Amino acid sequence: MANVAALHPSDFEAALASYLDESKPDPLARRQIENVIVQWEQSTDTSSTAADLLAASSTESSSSDASSDTRGNGGAETKRIDGRLTLIGEYMSVTLDANCKWTWLPSHCLDDSVTTNAGASLSFRLSVSSASFIPLTQYKRLQKERDKRASSNQSDGD
């Protein structure tokens, strides 16, 4: 299992590009998706424990804990990554709080009825933090900043 320590806006942008390749939307929808500005702010609070993770998954709490790694339950490994995703389009901005938790269970943690070597569970929750209309001037400013970062990243890679 890959160890995910952090997410970056480029991860979301790659997922959007993959979606465009697979779904082949009409030209208008394609242009709108290609022009979405993606911002990701990963939480840096590392105070969660395994008990906190279980409690958080059953409540409507909007606390954001950072990526964490907790072992317990005879070797079961729980990882978590949380943050805030903002998608900005030409006229609207939507901010989502994202919480993702996954647990890897080694074979000795499973009961005899399971015939695989290991098991896993995944929970993922998105909640809308805010949604608002934005002025076109603000979108254009953010678009210029994104394009400047992209060209800077390309020149660093050359």
Side-chain angles (χ1 to χ4, degrees):
M1 181 165 80
N3 185 8
V4 176
L7 291 173
H8 304 280
S10 59
D11 299 324
F12 295 99
E13 290 162 355
L16 284 174
S18 177
Y19 170 78
L20 288 173
D21 287 342
E22 292 174 16
S23 67
K24 311 267 190 271
D26 67 76
L28 178 60
R30 180 178 202 75
R31 185 182 66 81
Q32 289 176 336
I33 293 169
E34 287 173 338
N35 289 324
V36 166
I37 297 170
V38 178
Q39 297 175 341
W40 171 253
E41 179 184 331
Q42 187 155 326
S43 177
T44 57
D45 179 7
T46 59
S47 62
S48 67
T49 65
D52 295 333
L53 298 177
L54 293 173
S57 67
S58 62
T59 65
E60 288 300 314
S61 166
S62 64
S63 68
S64 293
D65 298 325
S67 136
S68 61
D69 181 354
T70 307
R71 289 183 187 266
N73 278 345
E77 177 181 7
T78 298
K79 292 188 179 276
R80 182 175 181 151
I81 193 164
D82 296 337
R84 182 167 278 185
L85 175 65
T86 302
L87 303 171
I88 304 167
E90 293 177 7
Y91 304 103
M92 210 171 166
S93 171
V94 176
T95 300
L96 304 168
D97 289 327
N99 312 98
C100 183
K101 179 184 80 164
W102 60 101
T103 302
W104 180 254
L105 302 169
S107 58
H108 67 275
C109 293
L110 302 174
D111 63 34
D112 293 337
S113 66
V114 178
T115 59
T116 61
N117 290 335
S121 68
L122 171 70
S123 66
F124 191 83
R125 183 178 60 167
L126 290 175
S127 58
V128 176
S129 175
S130 68
S132 61
F133 291 102
I134 62 170
L136 189 56
T137 54
Q138 180 183 358
Y139 170 76
K140 290 185 182 277
R141 180 182 54 79
L142 291 169
Q143 195 174 36
K144 284 181 185 177
E145 290 172 8
R146 178 190 66 182
D147 294 345
K148 185 177 179 180
R149 275 193 309 273
S151 66
S152 172
N153 289 343
Q154 285 179 349
S155 64
D156 290 345
D158 293 339

